[in-house]
Amino acid sequence: RKEVEQDPGPFNVPEGATVAFNCTYSNSASQSFFWYRQDCRKEPKLLMSVYSSGNEDGRFTAQLNRASQYISLLIRDSKLSDSATYLCVVIPSGGYQKVTFGTGTKLQVIP
Amino acid sequence: SQTIHQWPATLVQPVGSPLSLECTVEGTSNPNLYWYRQAAGRGLQLLFYSVGIGQISSEVPQNLSASRPQDRQFILSSKKLLLSDSGFYLCAWSQDSEAFFGQGTRLTVV
């Protein structure tokens, strides 16, 4: 099983729709979780951290389910500018803390 | 604040030529360092990661190698490039619960 798995998509959604991505991880000792956004031909950039209690940033909501070992990203009222690839990032606790990036889920918001 | 520099931004190299991409990090010490490749339309593929000077782990067998001669310097190399080495190469660093990417190098092997 891969350390971090994401559905590559693409997810094609109309403007204004709500869309959700999941990311599963295999290491139960994972401690820190993030969502990154990558625009076409650019480097990934931090979108938001994922906290155990769940957290919201405007139209974006991130959640963590430790029991099932997945994190999710919910985007409400999708905008054309949300079109990008979304990568999840998992960092284990202790040791060398090797960061694992998911391969990304591509979102295309359609007018 | 921590910054990461990666160069060059764009590179066109003939098949069979050598490659050297450099990545340096400022504002931190003893970071974990990574090299990723992203083929056109594909996801990130981890190539190498390093937890310290001279310590390199290779994730996939390939035509590339990596070295970490200094704490904050990570170099990706090849003796002879193949057409299949074309792609977007990203350096990243992490420490504690932070991770950042360099701006990437777009390599085209012709």
Side-chain angles (χ1 to χ4, degrees):
Chain A
R1 183 182 174 185
K2 287 185 180 180
E3 293 178 76
V4 177
E5 290 197 73
Q6 290 183 255
D7 182 340
F11 284 55
N12 297 314
V13 302
E15 267 188 291
T18 297
V19 62
F21 314 129
N22 281 348
C23 169
T24 59
Y25 60 94
S26 60
N27 184 354
S28 59
S30 299
Q31 181 164 341
S32 302
F33 307 89
F34 307 87
W35 283 103
Y36 278 67
R37 171 190 168 131
Q38 184 180 23
D39 293 304
C40 187
R41 303 176 74 86
K42 299 283 188 181
E43 77 277 19
K45 293 186 177 178
L46 179 64
L47 176 66
M48 61 194 300
S49 303
V50 185
Y51 302 125
S52 297
S53 55
N55 48 296
E56 197 172 296
D57 183 1
R59 297 180 293 108
F60 297 82
T61 300
Q63 290 190 312
L64 166 64
N65 185 319
R66 286 196 182 274
S68 301
Q69 294 185 204
Y70 73 87
I71 62 173
S72 64
L73 178 67
L74 180 80
I75 305 175
R76 290 181 300 278
D77 189 21
S78 298
K79 311 289 185 191
L80 294 176
S81 57
D82 294 333
S83 298
T85 297
Y86 292 84
L87 296 87
C88 64
V89 174
V90 175
I91 303 179
S93 59
Y96 290 120
Q97 291 192 322
K98 175 191 155 192
V99 174
T100 302
F101 294 88
T103 53
T105 297
K106 186 171 183 179
L107 171 66
Q108 187 69 45
V109 180
I110 305 164
Chain B
S1 63
Q2 303 93 340
T3 56
I4 180 169
H5 301 280
Q6 185 182 340
W7 68 91
T10 307
L11 193 59
V12 180
Q13 291 282 104
V15 169
S17 64
L19 172 74
S20 180
L21 301 182
E22 188 163 342
C23 172
T24 59
V25 180
E26 295 178 359
T28 186
S29 59
N30 198 32
N32 292 341
L33 297 172
Y34 309 80
W35 277 111
Y36 284 86
R37 176 170 61 199
Q38 190 172 39
R42 306 293 293 275
L44 285 177
Q45 179 188 35
L46 179 61
L47 302 176
F48 301 96
Y49 76 93
S50 171
V51 299
I53 296 174
Q55 299 179 63
I56 311 293
S57 295
S58 174
E59 290 289 307
V60 293
Q62 61 213 314
N63 184 41
L64 303 166
S65 62
S67 61
R68 185 170 177 173
Q70 300 180 45
D71 181 43
R72 290 171 286 180
Q73 184 185 30
F74 205 23
I75 299 172
L76 183 70
S77 305
S78 173
K79 292 182 179 178
K80 287 185 179 182
L81 283 169
L82 306 172
L83 287 174
S84 57
D85 291 325
S86 293
F88 189 44
Y89 288 82
L90 286 156
C91 176
W93 73 267
S94 73
Q95 191 168 59
D96 298 325
S97 297
E98 291 185 299
F100 296 94
F101 286 91
Q103 292 186 316
T105 296
R106 192 158 302 280
L107 171 67
T108 304
V109 183
V110 296

